[in-house]
Amino acid sequence: MKIIADLHTHTLASSHAYSTIRENCEIAKERGIKVIALTDHAPLMSDAPHEWHAANQHILPQVINGVCVLKGIEADIMNTKGELDIPDYVVGKLQWIVASFHGPVFPPMSEEDHLMAIENVCKNPLIDVFAHLTTTSYPFDYKEAAKLFSKYDKIVELNEASLRSGASKRENAVRLFNECKSEGVKIAIDSDAHYCERIGDFSAVLDVLKEVKYPEELIISTDLDYIINRANKNHPSAPKIDNSIMRI
Ligand SMILES: [Zn+2]
Ligand SMILES: [Zn+2]
């Protein structure tokens, strides 16, 4: 399996991360990653840049140092209604949106509340990916959630940083991704890198996927065309990405 994407990455614009876009792209290129998503935090996290940071990404080239760069954000799920902390005018400019539960914005609630929030985020067509869903503080019914991801065609991320830090237990990841496999859910392999050297480093994730035996055709991180087509289709008001942009 050749992984060519890392669709959850931070730059020093999120103040608890430490690398520039250029540094992230340099490491991505070295490791054969053809596309990364810039997903710095949305405004309600204390370390987040001002909302103008996300809105102004259209000034960046689509390809930096030979790597396709999706202009995105890691949005915070604010409540059980599935509302997110991104103003509408910013949402419309973005090419890739990751949604996360973060304690400072959505303090852990009951399993039913977590599932309700997930269901309502699923109904938002602009959300591409659920990030680090296997963290221990946000339990929910994995089987029911997998049915929702399949029904609404949402991508579920397996997140290297949360597995390594212990925020996600390995057994949670095995359980969730077994349910996702049963429901034919598409998944992404992401670093959630906060330093450039972590871009494209997926060893803990690959260890889980090996155990689960996830079907390769459901892993979007190997498929550049799928990623670019999805970004274009799901974000019609964002700058269009030319499909031939990474062809040699
Ligand atoms: Zn996060
Ligand atoms: Zn993150």
Side-chain angles (χ1 to χ4, degrees):
M1 179 167 65
K2 173 91 183 82
I3 301 168
I4 52 81
D6 191 345
L7 301 174
H8 182 168
T9 67
H10 293 275
T11 70
L12 45 69
S14 301
S15 57
H16 74 312
Y18 305 96
S19 298
T20 63
I21 297 172
R22 187 93 198 167
E23 288 164 342
N24 284 354
C25 288
E26 280 168 10
I27 298 291
K29 178 126 196 250
E30 271 174 41
R31 295 182 177 168
I33 299 291
K34 294 188 168 151
V35 53
I36 65 170
L38 302 177
T39 54
D40 280 307
H41 280 144
L44 283 185
M45 286 291 270
S46 316
D47 70 316
H50 190 275
E51 65 196 41
W52 294 349
H53 176 85
N56 202 39
Q57 291 178 91
H58 62 86
I59 64 134
L60 297 168
Q62 196 68 61
V63 176
I64 299 176
N65 197 43
V67 176
C68 179
V69 172
L70 301 184
K71 288 72 184 275
I73 200 164
E74 182 178 10
D76 296 291
I77 302 168
M78 295 198 294
N79 49 43
T80 54
K81 289 189 220 160
E83 291 172 311
L84 303 169
D85 60 340
I86 339 174
D88 287 345
Y89 84 93
V90 179
V91 170
K93 293 168 186 275
L94 300 176
Q95 297 168 326
W96 199 255
I97 302 179
V98 172
S100 300
F101 288 117
H102 287 133
V105 179
F106 187 121
M109 299 181 191
S110 68
E111 290 197 20
E112 292 72 23
D113 285 333
H114 300 157
L115 188 63
M116 194 188 304
I118 287 168
E119 178 161 16
N120 285 321
V121 173
C122 279
K123 291 175 182 167
N124 182 341
L126 294 166
I127 303 308
D128 297 289
V129 180
F130 281 92
H132 50 64
L133 274 180
T134 52
T135 50
T136 48
S137 34
Y138 294 94
F140 55 89
D141 184 327
Y142 287 173
K143 189 181 248 332
E144 286 307 311
K147 288 180 190 163
L148 293 169
F149 303 140
S150 176
K151 179 178 172 189
Y152 290 99
D153 190 27
K154 294 303 176 197
I155 297 160
V156 181
E157 165 194 274
L158 198 43
N159 179 299
E160 180 75 16
S162 68
L163 282 169
R164 278 203 199 189
S165 70
S168 284
K169 282 218 169 79
R170 192 178 182 286
E171 57 260 38
N172 286 5
V174 169
R175 227 162 29 85
L176 176 62
F177 285 87
N178 266 319
E179 297 295 354
C180 287
K181 182 173 125 179
S182 303
E183 297 297 328
V185 175
K186 294 186 189 77
I187 67 165
I189 296 171
D190 291 336
S191 68
D192 196 1
H194 290 65
Y195 179 57
C196 59
E197 292 288 346
R198 295 292 175 91
I199 301 271
D201 180 352
F202 307 119
S203 47
V205 165
L206 292 175
D207 186 53
V208 169
L209 287 181
K210 201 166 147 199
E211 176 168 344
V212 176
K213 298 188 176 65
Y214 216 87
E216 199 172 322
E217 64 272 20
L218 292 174
I219 302 174
I220 70 155
S221 315
T222 60
D223 189 344
L224 184 66
D225 284 336
Y226 174 83
I227 293 164
I228 290 178
N229 288 337
R230 182 174 179 121
N232 283 334
K233 184 165 147 267
N234 274 16
H235 304 281
S237 59
K240 279 273 160 297
I241 308 163
D242 179 350
N243 271 65
S244 63
I245 202 164
M246 298 302 291
R247 307 255 185 277
I248 300 165

